[in-house]
Amino acid sequence: MDVTEISIRDLDAEKFIKVQADKIASVVGDGVAINALSGGVDSSVVTLLAHKALGGRLKTIFIENGLMREGEAEEIVGVFADLGVSVEVVDAKKQFFDALSGVTDPEEKREAITQTFYKDVFGKLVKESGAKHLLQGTILTDVDETVAGIKRQHNVFEQLGIDPNDAFGYNIIEPLVQLRKDGVRKVGQALGLPESIYNRMPFPGPALSARVIGEATSERVELVRKATVIVEEELSNTSAFQYLAILHEDKVTGMRDGARDFGLQIEVRCWDSVDARTATPTELSFKTLSKLAERITGEVPGVVSVTYNIGSKPPSTIEAV
Ligand code: XMP
């Protein structure tokens, strides 16, 4: 099915909310729907939109997959409690790390996450809840990149000829699929989400596993999580579109306390972009870069090298996996 884009110029957020909320209410009827909230802009907007349409008949779940940023579950549960939406946290760390064990190829990694999320974890939750519908925040950029074969986004099925009902046993509703990130932010603002959420930096569905090159073990994810805290603290005062840390697979020779230390490499990326379709590296000052290097080598165990990406998208992409 072709998706018609609603550009930011043509978007009337209030009207969009009304049309989509009515549509959700009519598709779900008097049944129950379920959705996964990761705390990203897209899933947060879907949560509030569907809550508006369904009230208590929407069950919202935060999947603790072991791949999220530090403190994410508590923070998001708190933000949504303030908005009157209760969120259940489900611990699925073991399932995700088992699925990622030994997987090094980027697309296989995404597939492992997709199957674990939709089939194993959500398949069970949907069955238990009696829901027939899963609401999710797929946006047009996800569809474009998947259809073009650039990156298999974890949340795109129909456009790849996959029927979620056959594959997973439930229907998927995607109210944001005609929008790009800027449109989603506008809808989030109109819905009354706090600015810290609707203007939040994008974060990929496969979470920190998209930022570990090679096998995403819990130890390696923990290292990139520590580096992510530093990068987010040091760059939060920039107006960049997105910034991130990547843990590389290759080691390099370093030295510590006068001895050889064959250690890890972290790459920092910081992007200027409007809609993630193209992006250029932010011109950070050398002082900022030096501070990042000093903190990452000092605070993340085993890291001896920190690099800054200066390539643009294309040919690069925003995430490294
Ligand atoms: P790329 O890396 O393709 O990313 O330039 C474009 C934007 O999408 C985010 N991203 C993802 N989001 N599932 C998502 O929900 C994914 O698999 C995924 N991969 C990348 C990325 O963070 C950037 O904002």
Side-chain angles (χ1 to χ4, degrees):
M1 183 194 73
D2 276 344
V3 181
T4 317
E5 176 170 358
I6 304 177
S7 70
I8 187 85
R9 236 194 17 241
D10 297 333
L11 176 65
D12 174 341
E14 299 294 344
K15 186 171 152 214
F16 180 89
I17 291 166
K18 170 135 189 24
V19 169
Q20 293 302 329
D22 288 351
K23 211 157 151 187
I24 294 168
S26 100
V27 172
V28 176
D30 54 8
V32 174
I34 192 164
N35 83 307
L37 170 65
S38 66
V41 182
D42 308 338
S43 71
S44 296
V45 170
V46 165
T47 301
L48 216 52
L49 184 60
H51 189 260
K52 198 178 168 69
L54 303 171
R57 288 182 296 116
L58 175 73
K59 191 176 166 63
T60 298
I61 294 177
F62 183 101
I63 306 283
E64 180 44 272
N65 55 14
L67 308 170
M68 304 307 273
R69 282 172 289 188
E70 195 147 296
E72 190 74 25
E74 302 76 31
E75 192 186 325
I76 295 307
V77 168
V79 167
F80 277 83
D82 291 345
L83 292 165
V85 180
S86 82
V87 179
E88 185 187 336
V89 179
V90 171
D91 183 356
K93 292 199 275 292
K94 184 170 173 350
Q95 277 130 300
F96 280 91
F97 282 119
D98 283 353
L100 287 168
S101 170
V103 182
T104 53
D105 176 79
E107 293 298 297
E108 283 177 25
K109 221 189 250 184
R110 282 164 186 271
E111 188 59 17
I113 301 238
T114 298
Q115 292 300 329
T116 307
F117 184 90
Y118 289 93
K119 214 178 203 154
D120 305 344
V121 178
F122 249 95
K124 191 162 162 273
L125 289 168
V126 170
K127 227 177 248 151
E128 283 167 5
S129 70
K132 299 242 175 331
H133 307 274
L134 172 73
L135 277 136
Q136 71 174 13
T138 315
I139 66 170
L140 196 49
T141 316
D142 300 338
V143 175
D144 283 351
E145 295 208 342
T146 301
V147 172
I150 295 167
K151 233 174 237 193
R152 162 78 163 93
Q153 306 277 324
H154 72 290
N155 53 4
V156 176
F157 303 103
E158 197 187 324
Q159 291 80 5
L160 295 179
I162 301 167
D163 180 345
N165 251 313
D166 292 345
F168 315 119
Y170 49 82
N171 178 35
I172 295 185
I173 307 174
E174 297 171 324
L176 309 182
V177 76
Q178 292 172 278
L179 305 179
R180 306 239 178 229
K181 194 64 93 186
D182 46 1
V184 180
R185 293 193 203 283
K186 193 169 164 187
V187 171
Q189 181 177 21
L191 277 166
L193 271 175
E195 188 183 351
S196 59
I197 299 288
Y198 73 72
N199 256 345
R200 200 170 191 199
M201 204 165 49
F203 188 66
L208 295 176
S209 78
R211 297 177 180 177
V212 171
I213 314 282
E215 189 180 1
T217 61
S218 65
E219 293 76 18
R220 289 171 60 75
V221 168
E222 184 54 31
L223 292 173
V224 91
R225 183 179 288 122
K226 284 198 161 74
T228 302
V229 171
I230 298 168
V231 169
E232 292 193 357
E233 277 174 11
E234 294 299 327
L235 301 185
S236 65
N237 61 355
T238 66
S239 53
F241 176 81
Q242 194 168 356
Y243 32 86
L244 50 134
I246 294 156
L247 175 63
H248 279 262
E249 196 168 21
D250 288 346
K251 288 185 160 189
V252 289
T253 299
M255 53 187 290
R256 218 181 274 275
D257 304 326
R260 175 184 151 92
D261 183 2
F262 194 49
L264 303 169
Q265 303 186 69
I266 289 280
E267 176 187 337
V268 176
R269 294 183 176 195
C270 181
W271 297 106
D272 291 337
S273 177
V274 175
D275 57 14
R277 279 188 291 184
T278 59
T280 50
T282 306
E283 285 191 34
L284 298 177
S285 73
F286 204 77
K287 190 166 162 232
T288 303
L289 293 169
S290 304
K291 180 88 185 292
L292 281 167
E294 187 189 313
R295 284 198 61 193
I296 292 170
T297 51
E299 297 173 37
V300 184
V303 175
V304 297
S305 166
V306 178
T307 56
Y308 183 57
N309 172 65
I310 52 170
S312 295
K313 173 184 180 174
S316 183
T317 56
I318 288 177
E319 305 287 345
V321 165

